[in-house]
Amino acid sequence: VQLQASGGGLAQAGGSLRLSCVASGVARGFNVMAWYRRAPGKSRELVAAITRGGTPSYVNSVKGRFTVSIDIAKYTVSLQMDSLKPEDTAIYYCAAAMISVFPPKDYDYWGQGTLVTVSS
């Protein structure tokens, strides 16, 4: 397993959750890590990405609410999700890209997904 995601669960609207993704093996050489999500009946969406050097980017719908961070010493990228909304309900996946282009077109490794459910 190259990427191991954790931290999903159930939250109420307005609440918070924190997701983490730990890279192992070859994936530790990533240059970009990202969080995607797939909501029921919808296509996969890029939520946030961060470079190895710590430069973040976000989709407009989560700006000001989500924060992506990196702890390179632990090969871990986290997604702090605050002010959660029911529309944030989805399976969240972390992904790693080895290429140094930001944002990358494709990702080389994917985590297994973690479910986030936000109740109204």
Side-chain angles (χ1 to χ4, degrees):
V1 178
Q2 302 287 347
L3 297 178
Q4 182 71 48
S6 62
L10 176 65
Q12 290 187 332
S16 299
L17 285 172
R18 185 178 180 87
L19 307 182
S20 293
C21 181
V22 181
S24 62
V26 177
R28 286 186 170 185
F30 69 84
N31 279 297
V32 179
M33 288 274 275
W35 287 97
Y36 280 79
R37 66 186 178 188
R38 187 187 297 273
K42 295 187 177 181
S43 58
R44 189 176 65 192
E45 175 188 38
L46 176 62
V47 176
I50 189 166
T51 67
R52 193 178 187 92
T55 300
S57 70
Y58 303 92
V59 68
N60 286 339
S61 61
V62 307
K63 284 182 179 177
R65 301 189 299 120
F66 290 11
T67 302
V68 63
S69 60
I70 187 169
D71 183 345
I72 197 63
K74 296 182 179 179
Y75 303 102
T76 298
V77 172
S78 298
L79 185 67
Q80 177 67 38
M81 303 184 294
D82 299 318
S83 301
L84 283 164
K85 302 176 180 180
E87 51 264 43
D88 294 320
T89 295
I91 299 175
Y92 285 70
Y93 300 88
C94 58
M98 310 306 279
I99 195 169
S100 58
V101 173
F102 188 64
K105 288 185 178 180
D106 299 297
Y107 285 83
D108 301 290
Y109 301 99
W110 291 83
Q112 81 283 12
T114 185
L115 178 62
V116 171
T117 304
V118 184
S119 62
S120 57

